């Protein structure tokens, strides 16, 4: 496990011309544990669980340990792989592929295995970015320096929740210790029968 024990495996941040777009929502205070949870990062949860238990030291090593890998190549592809969800079912494996081109950013999630599960994907955006529904499967991502479309391609029906401020922990970005501001979070929830493949494409216009 990483030293700071944040549950950020599979998480990424993305900058466009030096401007942060996808971000870590941050930790408000040390007494608030939301900032270390999977749902505060650009990652996934299965049956409301992250890749490792919230407090792995409470469990046997063979239950909480997992194998993760990150590889990249000259084409601009980054691949993350993990068997962390195998504590739910030994056959579950997750791989996330990130692909970059001049005007596109692709996220491909592949979860292999079998059985029925709830899968939630989280995307956190930097303050100053606005998110608007353009159609059922397309969202507009807007700020002063660019405009983009986020396309969602899922095999199964899903619900999308857009958070911005409010009472939920989602929809906030910590900009300094003890100081947070409203910022958009997208939460995509669906019931799946594994295996499942999903694709998200950010295209600048």
């Amino acid at each position: 496990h990483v030293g700071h024990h944040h549950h950020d495996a599979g998480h990424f941040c993305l900058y466009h011309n030096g401007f942060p777009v996808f971000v870590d929502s941050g930790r408000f205070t040390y007494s608030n544990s939301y900032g270390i949870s999977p749902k505060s990062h650009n990652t996934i949860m299965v049956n409301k669980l992250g890749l490792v238990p919230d407090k792995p030291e409470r469990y046997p090593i063979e239950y909480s340990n997992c194998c993760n890998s990150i590889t990249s190549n000259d084409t601009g592809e980054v691949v993350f792989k993990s068997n962390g969800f195998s504590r739910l079912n030994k056959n579950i494996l997750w791989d996330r592929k990130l692909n970059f081109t001049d005007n596109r950013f692709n996220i491909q999630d592949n979860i292999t295995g079998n059985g029925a599960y709830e899968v939630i994907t989280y995307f956190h955006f930097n303050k100053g970015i606005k998110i608007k529904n353009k159609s059922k499967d397309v969202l507009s991502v807007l700020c002063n320096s660019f405009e983009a479309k986020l396309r969602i391609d899922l095999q199964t029906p899903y619900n999308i929740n857009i958070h911005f401020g409010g009472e939920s922990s989602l929809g906030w970005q910590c900009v300094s210790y003890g100081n947070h501001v409203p910022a958009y979070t997208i939460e995509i929830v669906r019931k799946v029968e594994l295996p499942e493949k999903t694709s998200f494409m950010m295209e600048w216009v």
Side-chain angles (χ1 to χ4, degrees), residues 3-197:
H4 69 171
H5 288 279
H6 279 220
H7 296 272
D8 53 4
H11 166 79
F12 63 90
C13 291
L14 180 75
Y15 287 71
H16 177 70
N17 291 333
F19 183 82
V21 181
F22 291 93
V23 299
D24 180 331
S25 63
R27 189 171 186 183
F28 181 56
T29 65
Y30 288 124
S31 61
N32 186 324
S33 62
Y34 166 74
I36 69 175
S37 68
K39 64 175 62 176
S40 70
H41 296 88
N42 299 317
T43 187
I44 70 170
M45 298 182 74
V46 177
N47 285 1
K48 295 183 171 59
L49 299 176
L51 279 170
V52 295
D54 288 342
K55 298 184 182 297
E57 69 278 1
R58 292 184 175 181
Y59 301 94
I61 292 176
E62 60 271 16
Y63 175 78
S64 60
N65 272 4
C66 63
C67 294
N68 305 319
S69 69
I70 300 176
T71 57
S72 61
N73 57 41
D74 294 337
T75 67
E77 180 179 81
V78 178
V79 180
F80 170 80
K81 295 184 179 182
S82 178
N83 69 346
F85 294 117
S86 62
R87 71 186 193 279
L88 299 175
N89 182 318
K90 65 180 181 180
N91 296 319
I92 297 181
L93 296 173
W94 173 40
D95 71 71
R96 164 168 279 183
K97 296 180 180 179
L98 308 177
N99 290 278
F100 307 85
T101 65
D102 287 342
N103 68 332
R104 288 182 181 178
F105 171 52
N106 290 289
I107 307 160
Q108 293 180 307
D109 284 333
N110 181 31
I111 308 175
T112 59
N114 54 71
Y117 300 89
E118 179 189 68
V119 178
I120 305 177
T121 301
Y122 296 96
F123 293 126
H124 299 270
F125 292 88
N126 187 41
K127 63 181 178 64
I129 290 179
K130 296 181 180 179
I131 305 295
K132 295 182 179 179
N133 280 312
K134 199 168 185 67
S135 66
K136 180 181 181 298
D137 300 319
V138 179
L139 297 171
S140 287
V141 182
L142 306 165
C143 80
N144 292 335
S145 60
F146 70 81
E147 178 180 352
K149 295 178 181 178
L150 178 61
R151 301 180 186 276
I152 302 170
D153 183 9
L154 290 165
Q155 296 176 323
T156 55
Y158 64 90
N159 292 321
I160 182 166
N161 303 313
I162 300 177
H163 301 270
F164 183 79
E167 296 182 0
S168 173
S169 298
L170 300 169
W172 295 91
Q173 180 186 3
C174 185
V175 293
S176 62
Y177 187 78
N179 180 24
H180 62 182
V181 296
Y184 280 95
T185 298
I186 296 174
E187 179 187 37
I188 302 167
V189 185
R190 66 267 189 202
K191 301 287 186 180
V192 306
E193 187 76 31
L194 296 184
E196 187 210 32
K197 291 184 178 180

